[in-house]
Amino acid sequence: HSKRKGTGEVSLFRQDFADAVSKRVKLEEQLRNAIKQNEFELYLQPQVNVESKPTGAEALIRWRQSDGRFVSPADFIPLAEETGLIVPLGYWITERACQILQQWQQNPDKAKMQLSINVSAKQFQQPEFVEQVQLLVEKYKIQPHRLKLELTESLLMDDISSVTNKIKRLKRLGIEFALDDFGTGYSSLSYLMQIPFDTLKIDVSFVRNMLDSREKAQIVHTIIQLGESLKLNIVAEGVETEEQFNYLTRLNCDTFQGYLFSKPVPESEFLADKTAP
Ligand code: C2E
Ligand code: MG
Ligand code: MG
Ligand code: MG
């Protein structure tokens, strides 16, 4: 009896596994097609200063399937990384960001803004990554310091000397760097000191619970102080309430991003005059 039950569990597990695999294979196929058909769009989420004035934006990719459904980047970026599809996709993201920056340069309201893009480990590891970015900056004639690359701590762990080397080459061109989701990974102070980041982004998980948890508040406080002593710009992610904004302002945080100011919006709606017809 118990043996039969065991077998049943195994086949149930196999069924689940088979379902998961076929779902994944299907998503991979759809992703491959999406790249060919260009079903992606960069949405922009403003970043604001203490006066709530926009200083730039983060580009966040959106995949709108042919049936109109959106697939979250949290669901397809990991798959794109595993399959290597992030390489062509990441190139598309970088080029699209440069096109947006070129447009902004011709608009006095936006000419001084920075645009941040998220760069995946696999993309960054490509031997030609530095040259590709350089060529795009030249092609679109953008001021390099308007473009900021967001990297995560896990990427730094890969091969610290090769990563540092690439960052330094891009910094020499004028490109800026942000360390994304700071505090969630394993990066240590020694990494931070070795790598010339311009910006630290406090992860949304700290900001979310900051007002209910002394521990989270202390972490936020410490990150901001660390940023100050390293002379980095500090961006708080996921700011949703006035209370969070006020608290962060009192701690001397200088840049804010979150639903309180705006959700990510299509490029055409970014800082569009909503009173216009
Ligand atoms: P991330 O880079 O840390 O982006 C911040 C995420 O927080 C975004 O989710 C954004 O929509 C969300 N967010 C912003 N404000 C708030 C808020 O006030 N409350 C809450 N709850 N969330 C907020 P999104 O767009 O779903 O992206 C998720 C992650 O997917 C990103 O995290 C990034 O790691 C990755 N991703 C997004 N776009 C790209 C891309 O173009 N390239 C790569 N490589 N990764 C991307
Ligand atoms: Mg980011
Ligand atoms: Mg983040
Ligand atoms: Mg994240």
Side-chain angles (χ1 to χ4, degrees), residues 272-277:
D273 183 359
K274 294 191 190 73
T275 60

Side-chain angles (χ1 to χ4, degrees), residues 78-215:
L79 183 64
E81 282 236 316
E82 283 169 43
T83 54
L85 290 169
I86 193 66
V87 175
L89 188 57
Y91 183 80
W92 179 84
I93 292 164
T94 313
E95 178 157 34
R96 182 73 194 107
C98 290
Q99 289 169 345
I100 292 171
L101 278 168
Q102 187 187 44
Q103 275 178 266
W104 283 5
Q105 271 174 194
Q106 284 140 32
N107 178 340
D109 294 337
K110 295 176 183 162
K112 294 222 161 66
M113 295 204 175
Q114 281 192 318
L115 184 58
S116 298
I117 59 174
N118 295 283
V119 178
S120 289
K122 256 252 178 61
Q123 186 190 358
F124 194 77
Q125 283 159 1
Q126 295 300 299
E128 54 279 0
F129 181 74
V130 174
E131 284 75 18
Q132 281 182 346
V133 172
Q134 179 168 18
L135 287 171
L136 287 172
V137 164
E138 286 164 6
K139 177 175 176 190
Y140 292 98
K141 300 186 174 58
I142 62 164
Q143 295 176 302
H145 61 281
R146 303 283 176 225
L147 181 64
K148 194 177 278 193
L149 307 184
E150 294 193 2
L151 309 180
T152 56
E153 291 169 272
S154 56
L155 183 149
L156 305 179
M157 307 293 288
D158 291 341
D159 174 359
I160 184 80
S161 68
S162 125
V163 168
T164 311
N165 178 278
K166 277 189 181 167
I167 293 177
K168 286 184 175 156
R169 283 166 62 202
L170 286 160
K171 292 251 348 169
R172 257 181 260 128
L173 298 174
I175 308 287
E176 297 205 347
F177 283 87
L179 185 52
D180 203 358
D181 305 342
F182 186 66
T184 60
Y186 300 96
S187 79
S188 63
L189 277 180
S190 73
Y191 283 159
L192 258 189
M193 315 278 243
Q194 276 177 61
I195 301 176
F197 282 106
D198 302 279
T199 297
L200 275 188
K201 296 191 77 175
I202 307 173
D203 190 66
V204 52
S205 61
F206 300 117
V207 175
R208 186 183 297 134
N209 301 310
M210 174 180 75
L211 297 178
D212 313 314
S213 152
R214 258 170 175 284
E215 196 196 1

Side-chain angles (χ1 to χ4, degrees), residues 230-267:
L230 295 174
K231 303 207 160 45
L232 303 177
N233 165 242
I234 304 283
V235 180
E237 295 194 298
V239 181
E240 293 185 352
T241 67
E242 288 287 348
E243 289 75 21
Q244 290 168 342
F245 178 48
N246 293 335
Y247 186 79
L248 288 159
T249 305
R250 281 202 301 278
L251 292 181
N252 260 336
C253 184
D254 32 41
T255 309
F256 310 84
Q257 182 180 344
Y259 298 165
L260 177 63
F261 310 100
S262 170
K263 291 202 166 188
V265 295
E267 194 273 324

